[in-house]
Amino acid sequence: MHGLVNRAIERFVRDTYGRDVWIDTIRRLDMGLTEFESMMIYEPQVTAQVLAAVGTRLARGRDDLLEDIGTYLVSNPATEALRRLLRFSGVDFVDFLHSLDDLPERARLAVSDLDLPALELLDQGGGLYRLHVGCPEGDGPRFGPVVVGLLRAMADDYGALAVVEHQGEAGTCEILEIRLLDEGFAHGRAFVLGAGGGAP
């Protein structure tokens, strides 16, 4: 598992619940470390153990925890760079949704060994979309719940009213349903092209 994934879990806990909660949780695993290196590769079971330990410490189910991490990646000021990268993908929420198929490849252009799951958007018409999220091989964590949290946060960011739900797995992918109720429901967060212009 790429270190960026483990680092995201670490930063989520530190920024949301505090450094002491993270240190206490990671030390209980006796891994010989208290922080992850972003550019290292870790065994998938390390990520699984960390997620399980964090879930126990926070009394959060695994999928709920992953959704929270997805939301954090867009909404927390500490992750503004990722939020800006995603906002560059589309001028509105619908445009952003249609760019999702290309997201894994764009991520690899930035980090060549970052292997994100394949994404495939299906437009069902009438504001209804289905997103197929590729399932990981082996023991890696499922990314579907992370994408649910990320999409909900991005809808808010664009000012769109959308319902995003996880519909389970089918074959080699997870199925997400996105129902767009009102694309102009509210004013989205400020976003301009200039560096530093996207402050909330």
Side-chain angles (χ1 to χ4, degrees), residues 110-186:
V111 183
S112 61
D113 54 353
L114 179 60
D115 189 19
L116 295 181
L119 301 174
E120 181 185 11
L121 184 76
L122 304 176
D123 189 341
Q124 307 291 294
L128 179 65
Y129 302 86
R130 290 188 183 276
L131 181 66
H132 292 181
V133 181
C135 291
E137 297 181 0
D139 299 325
R142 296 183 302 120
F143 278 86
V146 178
V147 179
V148 168
L150 185 146
L151 290 178
R152 288 174 178 166
M154 287 302 296
D156 289 344
D157 206 275
Y158 278 106
L161 178 61
V163 177
V164 184
E165 295 181 330
H166 197 292
Q167 300 292 316
E169 297 183 17
T172 60
C173 67
E174 300 173 75
I175 309 296
L176 309 187
E177 182 178 276
I178 305 143
R179 187 176 296 276
L180 181 59
L181 303 178
D182 187 349
E183 190 171 4
F185 178 72

Side-chain angles (χ1 to χ4, degrees), residues 1-8 36-42:
M1 183 63 62
H2 200 285
L4 282 173
V5 175
N6 293 336
R7 183 68 172 171
F36 289 103
E37 296 293 336
S38 297
M39 302 312 293
M40 285 186 63
I41 303 298
Y42 297 86

Side-chain angles (χ1 to χ4, degrees), residues 81-98:
L82 176 58
R83 178 243 176 185
R84 288 180 57 77
L85 177 65
L86 294 173
R87 281 295 297 263
F88 273 119
S89 301
V91 296
D92 54 33
F93 187 61
V94 170
D95 200 25
F96 167 74
L97 289 177
H98 282 284

Side-chain angles (χ1 to χ4, degrees), residues 25-57:
T25 302
I26 197 69
R27 281 181 175 167
R28 288 174 184 270
L29 291 175
D30 196 24
M31 290 182 172
L33 54 81
T34 56
E35 61 182 39
F36 289 103
E37 296 293 336
S38 297
M39 302 312 293
M40 285 186 63
I41 303 298
Y42 297 86
E43 293 296 327
Q45 59 264 31
V46 171
T47 307
Q49 290 172 5
V50 171
L51 284 172
V54 171
T56 298
R57 180 68 170 79

